[in-house]
Amino acid sequence: MLFRSVAAAAVLAGCRGLGRPLTAAPIVIFGAGSAGCGIADRLVRLLQREGLSEAEARQRIWAIDRHGLVLEGQAGVSEAALVHGRRAAEVAGFIRDADGIIPLLEVVRQVRPGVLIGTSTVAGAFSRPVIEALLAGIDRPLVLPLSNPTALAEATPADVLAWSDGRALVATGSPFPPVGDRLIGQCNNCFLFPGLGFAAVAVGARAISDGMIDAALEALAARIPAAADPEASLMPALTEVQVVSAAVAEAAALAAVAEGLATRATDAAGARRCLDAARWRPRY
C-alpha cells in the first residue's frame, strides 16, 4: 500500500511542478498486478479530489498486463485490473499484434498519456519507440520504471532522458546514479512508512485510514523537489528522510485526530505534543 502511495506522490508532485493538473492527460500503467492496481487505486483517489467521479477517474487509467491492454470482461485477468478494462468500442481502431493483443506501444500511440508507470518486471519494456511515441503526445511526460531489482526496470533513466532529449521526468523503483546533473529519485517506502507508523503509535490511532495515508502522501508530495522545479529530482534525497518523515508524521497525526481515530490526542496541539514526546533523539 505504501509503495503505491509513494509512487502516487511522485506523480502528483511532478504534475504540480509542470503546472499541469493530474486530470490533464491519461495515465498508462504497464503491469496490472497488485502493485500496479494499487497505484491505480491511489491515483483514482487523487483524481477524485480534483473533481472527477470514481467512474470518470478510472477512465483516466489505462492498464496493461501480460495479455496486453486490459479489456472489459477479459478472461485470466484479476478483478482489480478488470475495473480498468476498456470497452470494445473504445479500442475498435487499435492495432493488435500477431497474438491478438493490444501492446504497450499501440496504447501509448493511441491514448497519448502524460504519465507512464511500469510495475511489470519486464526489463527494457519502455523502449525507444515507446518513449518517442510518448513524446509525440505530450511535451513533458512522467516516466516511472518502478520494477525492481535494477535489472528488471522497464528502462534506465539514462536511456529515458536520452530518448526524450531530457524532457521526461523520471523516478525509479531501484537506485540509479545521476544522469549528468539530474538526480534520479527513488520511490522508496522509507519516505512514507516510518512517519506514518510513528504517527499512528504516537497518537494511539485505532486504525490507519485512507485519510491518514492521503495526508501523508500530500506531505511527501509537497517536499519532492520537482513539485517546485521540474528539472529537479522526482523524489527527495535519501539524506532528507528524517525531515520528510517528520512532516509525514505530523500530517498523518493531524488526520487521525480530525477523523476521531486518535486515542491520545483530541486536537492538533495535543497531536504535536504526542509526536514530540514519542520522538527519540540520539543524544548521549
Side-chain angles (χ1 to χ4, degrees):
M1 178 184 294
L2 297 181
F3 167 76
R4 304 158 191 176
S5 298
V6 173
V11 172
L12 182 61
C15 287
R16 286 179 176 170
L18 293 168
R20 190 166 76 207
L22 190 60
T23 55
I27 297 166
V28 168
I29 298 179
F30 182 67
S34 59
C37 291
I39 292 170
D41 287 344
R42 192 55 53 179
L43 289 170
V44 165
R45 287 181 62 86
L46 293 177
L47 287 163
Q48 288 180 271
R49 281 171 40 187
E50 295 204 10
L52 300 186
S53 68
E54 181 178 349
E56 290 169 336
R58 292 200 181 280
Q59 279 292 306
R60 307 302 290 166
I61 309 288
W62 293 71
I64 301 171
D65 74 352
R66 65 183 184 278
H67 304 291
L69 179 67
V70 176
L71 303 175
E72 189 176 63
Q74 188 172 358
V77 178
S78 70
E79 290 184 13
L82 280 177
V83 298
H84 301 288
R86 316 309 296 198
R87 297 185 303 276
E90 292 181 87
V91 298
F94 288 38
I95 298 173
R96 297 173 184 253
D97 68 10
D99 296 318
I101 70 172
I102 301 173
L104 171 64
L105 180 57
E106 178 66 6
V107 173
V108 171
R109 284 174 173 162
Q110 295 280 358
V111 172
R112 295 177 173 263
V115 180
L116 177 60
I117 298 172
T119 53
S120 68
T121 69
V122 179
F126 294 172
S127 62
R128 182 167 192 157
V130 168
I131 299 301
E132 290 177 345
L134 189 62
L135 269 291
I138 196 162
D139 184 57
R140 301 296 306 270
L142 276 67
V143 181
L144 279 67
L146 298 180
S147 291
N148 54 61
T150 305
L152 298 182
E154 287 79 9
T156 67
D159 281 344
V160 173
L161 290 170
W163 297 334
S164 68
D165 294 324
R167 289 152 60 194
L169 281 67
V170 184
T172 60
S174 299
F176 280 90
V179 179
D181 59 357
R182 294 275 288 271
L183 298 178
I184 305 303
Q186 182 187 357
C187 291
N188 194 307
N189 282 347
C190 71
F191 291 115
L192 200 64
F193 178 76
L196 180 60
F198 173 66
V201 171
V203 301
R206 290 190 296 272
I208 295 178
S209 67
D210 276 331
M212 290 171 65
I213 296 172
D214 288 343
L217 182 162
E218 184 66 46
L220 170 57
R223 283 155 182 82
I224 291 175
D229 176 8
E231 306 306 321
S233 175
L234 203 49
M235 288 300 293
L238 287 175
T239 54
E240 296 295 311
V241 68
Q242 287 187 318
V243 174
V244 174
S245 291
V248 165
E250 180 172 340
L254 295 180
V257 169
E259 294 182 26
L261 294 173
T263 61
R264 297 175 185 158
T266 57
D267 58 19
R272 292 188 179 100
R273 283 195 297 270
C274 287
L275 292 171
D276 190 61
R279 186 171 287 115
W280 177 73
R281 296 175 176 83
R283 295 172 184 164
Y284 299 94

